[in-house]
Amino acid sequence: MTTSRHAPAPPADPSGALPAGDPRWTVDSPAVGTGLTARPCGDTLRPAEPPATARPVALALSGGGFRATLAALGFVRLLADTGLLPRLRYSSSVSGGSVANGCLATAWPALREAGFTARAVEDLLIEPVLDRVSGRSLKHALVGGLWRTLGPTTRTDLLARCLDEWFLDGAELEHLDAQVRWIVNAANQTTGARFTFERDVYGDYTIGLAPTAGTGLRLSRAVSASAAVPGAFPPVVLDRGPFPCATHPPALLDGGTYDNTGLEAVDGDRYPHTFLCVLNAGGLLRPGVYGRVPVVRDLARANSLLYRQSTALRTRAVVERFERARAVGPDDDVPHGARRGVLVQLSTRFPADGSEALRRWRAAFTEQPAHDGRHLALVPTVFDRLDAGLCRALVRRGWWLGGAALAAFHPHLLPEDLTALRPPQR
């Protein structure tokens, strides 16, 4: 529950939320005000590191509505098929990818108990999400619940409620499994920084981190903030009190407005030996007119160009890191600034005459990049009901791309006998 939006400067409620209409969040933060450079808070609280494991794996899942959610589930299924899933220690996500990340975090204890098998991922993770996404419309559920927003509840609160009901079972951040560092990313428009929700902390580097213990903060609150597309959903406004350097309440919106790849949290030099798996299922810059109203269409296209630029720069940087690691071989220590891993987009095209391992992968599993004559990368970014066949096509696409990337760049991570793998049902 939140306090009334219409009361002047009301006190914060136990959940840490402030009303969306509170004027305080609109004031520039001193950390990024005019003429000032953003600077770290200097606090000492840091997220707990996950348990050590040999050659840990990190996952970065982009935004892109249910298109991104479903492709991410296929990507996770590929990790199970190759035996990489038990080594997962970092999982970072944005928007639609955060729905998949939240579902994975919720199912993690049951997946571990089942041995992280591909069958367990199918039964405990993929099928429940497919049933929801293909059986009902989240958008219609939100529209049907708009009457709840007549009071203090916002549309983003309503989204969190639906996410709990559909996918996340009321899970609280502090009770997530500690084997993985779960990272759900939003954008703090008060400071211009990436805002992180994790099992034990939440905040950003300019306002500092606060502990989640005893707050009752739900995973659904984090995912709804990560997916709060500007215009469709109002910002999630939190009390500034818990954050040591905050001068104004954090106002959180879709993490894709800051970094739609989810890469920043897991692409630092602190993780040189972590194998990084990145799936970018974000939207493409489409040609043509962006609407009929001159100012609106020009702003929409400019926004799309900015999104493309920021995503391309992050992608280029991480690919350069991968190339540095490839230059020293698969077993040597990586040099400073290098990483091992794979990055694919739904639009990625692997060469037909690639390496022997890639040709073996293609021979074993036919590439199916389209559904009903439309490339899967062009599926609209929506949280609406999707055709069951389209859902399964997106899951299989994420799985196939992950396997093709390993075959092309890290074939030793695939089983020798590819016939032992069973692709997701199409």
Side-chain angles (χ1 to χ4, degrees):
M1 296 291 292
T2 55
T3 52
S4 171
R5 289 186 283 189
H6 307 293
D13 72 11
S15 72
L18 280 176
D22 190 292
R24 290 175 290 174
W25 66 264
T26 61
V27 182
D28 284 342
S29 165
V32 288
T34 303
L36 296 179
T37 301
R39 55 187 181 272
C41 170
D43 61 321
T44 58
L45 184 61
R46 290 294 177 269
E49 285 298 314
T53 188
R55 301 196 175 191
V57 171
L59 189 60
L61 303 173
S62 80
F66 280 152
R67 178 188 64 231
T69 301
L70 295 163
L73 295 181
F75 207 55
V76 170
R77 169 59 207 280
L78 190 279
L79 297 184
D81 278 306
T82 56
L84 294 175
L85 191 57
R87 289 159 43 189
L88 183 67
R89 291 297 179 269
Y90 305 89
S91 189
S92 174
S93 62
V94 177
S95 197
S98 290
V99 176
N101 198 15
C103 293
L104 179 59
T106 304
W108 190 259
L111 290 172
R112 180 174 55 230
E113 185 175 346
F116 295 113
T117 64
R119 178 61 182 271
V121 171
E122 288 274 1
D123 293 345
L124 300 172
L125 183 61
I126 294 177
E127 290 300 325
V129 175
L130 282 175
D131 287 345
R132 284 293 191 184
V133 174
S134 64
R136 296 175 59 189
S137 167
L138 181 61
K139 182 177 75 174
H140 290 170
L142 292 169
V143 171
L146 282 178
W147 62 271
R148 298 179 183 275
T149 63
L150 297 176
T153 302
T154 69
R155 294 188 303 279
T156 315
D157 296 330
L158 188 60
L159 174 61
R161 181 189 181 102
C162 289
L163 290 170
D164 257 338
E165 182 182 305
W166 281 39
F167 306 116
L168 305 178
D169 300 327
E172 295 183 0
L173 288 174
E174 66 173 307
H175 297 139
L176 295 181
D177 196 286
Q179 187 176 23
V180 178
R181 186 176 156 198
W182 308 103
I183 306 166
V184 177
N185 299 291
N188 186 352
Q189 67 179 18
T190 306
T191 65
R194 177 184 67 87
F195 190 99
T196 186
F197 287 95
E198 306 196 23
R199 180 183 61 84
D200 51 341
V201 298
Y202 65 122
D204 71 41
Y205 81 99
T206 69
I207 65 174
L209 298 177
T212 60
T215 63
L217 268 173
R218 291 190 175 187
L219 179 58
S220 59
R221 167 70 77 176
V223 175
S224 67
S226 181
V229 179
F233 298 100
V236 172
V237 185
L238 304 177
D239 180 8
R240 69 181 176 89
F243 306 103
C245 297
T247 57
H248 303 285
L252 313 179
L253 43 77
D254 193 324
T257 62
Y258 178 84
D259 168 20
N260 200 50
T261 64
L263 267 170
E264 183 174 276
V266 291
D267 188 34
D269 289 328
R270 293 188 299 157
Y271 314 105
H273 303 297
T274 301
F275 191 82
L276 179 57
C277 300
V278 186
L279 174 65
N280 182 2
L284 302 177
L285 178 68
R286 59 181 175 83
V289 177
Y290 277 55
R292 296 182 180 277
V293 181
V295 174
V296 174
R297 73 187 181 201
D298 293 344
L299 287 173
R301 190 162 187 81
N303 181 69
S304 185
L305 284 167
L306 290 170
Y307 160 78
R308 180 182 176 87
Q309 180 189 45
S310 64
T311 301
L313 288 172
R314 289 189 183 276
T315 298
R316 186 181 306 161
V318 77
V319 168
E320 288 174 353
R321 287 174 176 263
F322 290 162
E323 292 294 339
R324 292 191 200 113
R326 288 187 71 199
V328 302
D331 299 317
D332 297 328
D333 286 340
V334 295
H336 180 74
R339 293 291 299 275
R340 288 193 175 93
V342 293
L343 182 152
V344 290
Q345 304 179 85
L346 289 189
S347 58
T348 295
R349 296 178 63 183
F350 288 92
D353 59 347
S355 66
E356 179 185 352
L358 180 56
R359 291 197 300 270
R360 287 177 54 237
W361 178 263
R362 282 187 176 280
F365 310 107
T366 304
E367 182 178 10
Q368 299 173 334
H371 177 77
D372 279 351
R374 178 174 59 182
H375 198 288
L376 293 169
L378 300 177
V379 172
T381 302
V382 295
F383 285 118
D384 209 346
R385 179 183 175 276
L386 299 182
D387 172 77
L390 174 58
C391 291
R392 294 194 181 277
L394 285 164
V395 170
R396 192 184 189 280
R397 181 65 174 162
W399 180 88
W400 191 93
L401 286 169
L406 291 181
F409 301 107
H410 302 276
H412 62 285
L413 294 177
L414 288 174
E416 189 69 27
D417 181 14
L418 292 180
T419 62
L421 301 183
R422 179 180 60 85
Q425 178 184 344
R426 180 69 194 261

